[in-house]
Amino acid sequence: MAVKRMIEAIREALDEEMARDSRVIVLGEDVGVKGGVFVATRGLLEKYGPDRVIDTPLSESAIVGVAIGAAMNGLRPVAEIQFADFIHPAMDQIVNEAARIRYRSNGAWGCPLVVRAPYGAGIRGGLYHSQSVESFFAHVPGLKVVIPATPADAKGLLKAAIRDEDPVIFLEPKRAYRLIQGEVPDGDWVVPIGPARVAREGRHLTAVAYGMMLHLTLQAAEQVAREGISVEVVDLRTLAPLDRETILGSVRKTGRLMIVHEDNRTLGMGAEIAALAAEEALYDLDAPVRRVTMPDVPATPFAAVLEDAVLPDVDRIARAMRELARE
Amino acid sequence: MAVKRMIEAIREALDEEMARDSRVIVLGEDVGVKGGVFVATRGLLEKYGPDRVIDTPLSESAIVGVAIGAAMNGLRPVAEIQFADFIHPAMDQIVNEAARIRYRSNGAWGCPLVVRAPYGAGIRGGLYHSQSVESFFAHVPGLKVVIPATPADAKGLLKAAIRDEDPVIFLEPKRAYRLIQGEVPDGDWVVPIGPARVAREGRHLTAVAYGMMLHLTLQAAEQVAREGISVEVVDLRTLAPLDRETILGSVRKTGRLMIVHEDNRTLGMGAEIAALAAEEALYDLDAPVRRVTMPDVPATPFAAVLEDAVLPDVDRIARAMRELARE
Amino acid sequence: MATVKGSAAARAADPALEAVGSARLLAMYRIMVLSRALDERMWIVQRQGKVPFVITAQGQEAAQVGAAMALRPGHDVVLPYYRDMTLMLALGMTPKELMLNVFSRAEDPNSGGRQMPAHFSLPRLRVLTGSSPVGTQIPHAAGAALASRLRGEDSVTFCSFGEGATSTGDFHEGVNFAAVLRLPVIFFCQNNRYAISVPQRRQMAVESVAARAAAYGIPGVSVDGQDPVAVFQAVTEAVERARAGGGPTLVEALTYRYVPHTSDDDDRLYRSPSEVEQSRRRDPIPLMRQRLMEAGLWDDEQERALQEEVARTVDEATAYAEQAPPPDPATVMRHVFAERPAAG
Amino acid sequence: MATVKGSAAARAADPALEAVGSARLLAMYRIMVLSRALDERMWIVQRQGKVPFVITAQGQEAAQVGAAMALRPGHDVVLPYYRDMTLMLALGMTPKELMLNVFSRAEDPNSGGRQMPAHFSLPRLRVLTGSSPVGTQIPHAAGAALASRLRGEDSVTFCSFGEGATSTGDFHEGVNFAAVLRLPVIFFCQNNRYAISVPQRRQMAVESVAARAAAYGIPGVSVDGQDPVAVFQAVTEAVERARAGGGPTLVEALTYRYVPHTSDDDDRLYRSPSEVEQSRRRDPIPLMRQRLMEAGLWDDEQERALQEEVARTVDEATAYAEQAPPPDPATVMRHVFAERPAAG
Ligand SMILES: Cc1ncc(C[n+]2csc(CCOP(=O)(O)OP(=O)(O)O)c2C)c(N)n1
Ligand SMILES: Cc1ncc(C[n+]2csc(CCOP(=O)(O)OP(=O)(O)O)c2C)c(N)n1
Ligand SMILES: [Mg+2]
Ligand SMILES: [Mg+2]
């Protein structure tokens, strides 16, 4: 067990999986010589050579499309999209191709592919280096969507994603890359895709979060705990397929639900989780569900004062907890 | 007032707006000489000439991207995507460009653009000629999303979309093109973007639907009415921005809510509407919310037996109504 | 029917024939005839209301058979498009399999009735599953070739599409990627002059799709797509270059589609019957038959026998497919994800 | 400083100079010097922690000023990219406006602090708003040109991007569209040999971006991007062709970026200091100064005066921007949609 930064955990996962399985390759813009703009792939080119660590042309649709072809033909590609904000040109390859290959071939072909992308706000990245794109993909049957919040999960889930038989969209909360440190178990540490994690137990209300917001939610829970409000925090980790049981189990226990995400409100993950509660736990709910999210603006503006005005922070989350607990 | 098919209403709207405003142009694959694969644009090339009715290369990203550039430079383009299933290559232009132009320029530029696309299942179109794509776009701030269910709304809303200052994704339920006839008011008939419509009044439960599913929902409501169940049917019409008041007003009245759509379940429009109820009308809900949707499969398979196995039909909707009313 | 005859002198007068070899020439011809007969039957069953939709190859048989013959079936990776039924036949898909596909039967090896007809997929022939969105298979081809090369296979990847597809971003990104990495891919464009109703001049401002190759620093060749021998030779050259590590080639076969785009299309809206008629004068099937006969490789007797055999094959395949059971609706939720967990 | 001097004989020895005219030459030089000084100041305020991020133009000034001078500011439509601060200055954006942009102030005319610096937008100069995703402005340019032509304007549309952008699907789709419709667009590629760390040879298998034009049936020209006169002439020719209805041109300016990609980049990871040093020997600013001096159009006195003026301008612009108020957080929800309903 050693304390590591999230970015190190990710690099280790890539390194170990490349060492373990010669079918694993990495491709994307600047992933080779430069080692990635966030240095997630640093050292891999030297170690595994240019046939397995590929600096690609500036072509997101081809990065994913090439990875799909390679996956169908026996490789386990890990495609990097430099920022999640630039994943949209690859939408067709992801949604119409990767997600449907197994289904449309009636199971004859599979697409074991990981698309990694740093996502999220809080780094003064402006409209095009701050986006949250998870709900586009969590909507699409045939895709798995994973967002780790801790270094241990980042490593273990990325390794699981690489070993998965199906396409996984692996979104990395880039604000957490260096900010969040944590213990990472030694050895071949794999965290299964699917189960959510109760990151903090509590009695009065359930707060579901993921990525960087998990940490702010935990801080807010700590803050209101001093006021006697006991918050159970669920770290989603896998957004699709959704771990309905863990969410519902917690909601049935606490009777109150809030969801925190930095994606904008309408049709963000919070919508699906609130809907789940309204369908499956309505009689257990003691108060209206709450969503603490970015408002419906097109990602975060650049100027610090503007970004701070829209991005959920600990105070806003804690305030919502207090209001929900009192309701 | 004359009875028209939906496809005729759409053609009339395009024709009238092109006649009314020389800034309106139409562009897309096969929209000119052939008049569109669903003949929505038939006759326009002859009437308005090849400068305003443009058969484009097979390039969805450019169809939308060119329309965006033209919109910023003073035109009112109506871009046709031949099937909604082929809109994904244009995702970047729609999400990163059209939706953010006004916001990112702090209001200096606008993007008055309509993207028309036939969508939806039930025509034996298989995985790539049946998709419902509305929730991708309804999630994105800066876009309006409109889906008409009747010829009158198709005409009136399309005219409103063309006159709108902002980008509108106008999705046409292609199964309704010929199947659904209805009265269309004469003259310059414009239906405002925004308000939903109570398509049938009722007391026991609220069913929210749109597009082709509106008609099946109305039929199901008729069916269960004979059994004494009074269903209020809300035709959403505008999916974004959502008419929260009409939905909530109805739910507060009936105390029961179901949503019907042919998009798949997870993070479909039903999620947002259920979430809205769970947030704003929880204490009014007498029973859990229900969603009647496509299951989470990647669009409808081609073979009739398979498509019928997944697509909501009148029986399934009626059954859900009965169950919900009894709960 | 396997006998190969004809005078050496006559063949020598057509050096292309000589180079290709009589056995292959006859195989090409037989496949084209079979494909046309199956194709015509597909339109018939569609008009009879037995199937809702067809999309076929008529007019493009020579281009497809010539290309297929240049490949090693089951060894080379193939990414066809919806117009490639002749290619599939030539690679080894059976008429029965094609008809099962058209009837969307459970037994359809391409998708078990999940996809529209002509969306091919066949692991035993390394035919990767394709979709309807035009051009998406082009980056896949680059990726498949990358995988083959990484494993040290000497297989090439063959990728087929229409001239309309060359306007897509995926064509550009995929070909560029393959060119930069010098991947063993053959990009094979069947230029039938139309993308549904849109003629080539509204699709591109160049005379020939082959001109697009210059943007990628790869060879671009244009051949007569009504001549299977010319196509075979051009694709063979591209395959040899790819196998030898020389990178991708863009091969354009100039051809024409004799039927509407699909059974939903009315082609009279955008091209004149006389244009179609004109083009039919270079129908690759009679052209080839005549050439074989002139070379002494074929005669009326053989033609009669072939027609009979083909008719029987088509009847049998159709009858089989028609009575074959549809997919089981209980299977509709399967294969969204892999059914067994990963081996770990 | 508006005096134009120098011997006719000296200028005649450099016919390119003669053709362009002394006033324009001097204007080019002054803008390059001003741009470089502003640019260097931007890096300083970034290192001082006064602004979080910069992305600038050093090394590419000649390419940008040469192109801008070939346009009619406020008449022609312009779609720049994030490296185009010299272009913007040359068109008429003021140093103050540039610095307000770098400081993300409320008064920033480009986005009021909503976008990263160097994401330009300026209605008075018909500069359309741009984004970060590389290449998306290329189809916009075709659309803007289409609109101008439909109204019968004789304006052209100028669209700028790096060589990395030419690998995107949007480059292909946008240029192809413009070519098919023969739209009045100038596609201007600043080939600075790198897309962040990726060198040109990993981006494309052609020696020159201009070679890509062959795929679209449009002229492709490659010019020395360190020579503003050569760029001016190439772009002028392209503009004239476009205005005359001759369709689009792809102009490539061969250049080099002297600074890291952005303030977040460490360029030593992918290129050697000596390579950068080597390239700086063709720094367009001293080259141009020397040329002007040799032509007798410039002297040390003028240089000193210019440097003083520029330093003052930069100081004033920086001071103004630094003290200018940030955006009001209360405005953050504005402009998601139009504020007044449509006129109907
Ligand atoms: C991305 C995308 N856009 C539009 C369509 C609708 N469509 C199907 S085939 C076709 C024309 C294709 O033309 P071409 O590539 O020349 O092939 P051909 O059918 O002529 O053989 C179009 C526009 C599609 N399938 N995919
Ligand atoms: C679609 C997209 N992918 C990736 C990026 C990240 N990115 C920003 S600039 C850049 C390199 C662009 O290179 P080039 O076009 O040559 O322009 P240059 O910066 O060299 O002037 C990359 C990869 C992006 N902004 N957009
Ligand atoms: Mg074609
Ligand atoms: Mg560059």
Side-chain angles (χ1 to χ4, degrees), chain B residues 29-30 58 60 82 86, chain C residues 81-83 132-134 162-165 192 194-196 261:
Chain B
E29 294 154 16
D30 306 291
L58 207 166
E60 278 75 12
Q82 198 162 84
F86 308 135
Chain C
Y81 82 125
Y82 49 74
R83 212 163 294 291
S132 310
V134 166
E163 87 292 346
N192 64 8
Y194 288 90
I196 310 185
H261 173 68

Side-chain angles (χ1 to χ4, degrees), chain C residues 60 81-83 161-165 189-196 198 203 257 261:
Chain C
Q60 303 184 203
Y81 82 125
Y82 49 74
R83 212 163 294 291
F161 46 85
E163 87 292 346
C189 178
Q190 296 173 49
N191 180 354
N192 64 8
R193 321 306 172 107
Y194 288 90
I196 310 185
V198 178
Q203 196 69 247
R257 147 169 78 70
H261 173 68

Side-chain angles (χ1 to χ4, degrees), chain A residues 20 61 73 93 97 103 166, chain C residues 126 131 144 151 170 332 338 344:
Chain A
R20 178 180 177 274
S61 188
N73 194 15
Q93 284 291 347
E97 300 296 325
Y103 192 79
D166 289 302
Chain C
R126 300 189 86 177
S131 63
R151 280 192 299 264
D170 271 6
V332 76

Side-chain angles (χ1 to χ4, degrees), chain C residues 132-165:
Chain C
S132 310
V134 166
T136 51
Q137 77 277 28
I138 297 170
H140 300 177
L146 185 116
S148 293
R149 185 171 74 181
L150 191 65
R151 280 192 299 264
E153 292 173 14
D154 78 335
S155 65
V156 302
T157 295
F158 175 88
C159 180
S160 180
F161 46 85
E163 87 292 346

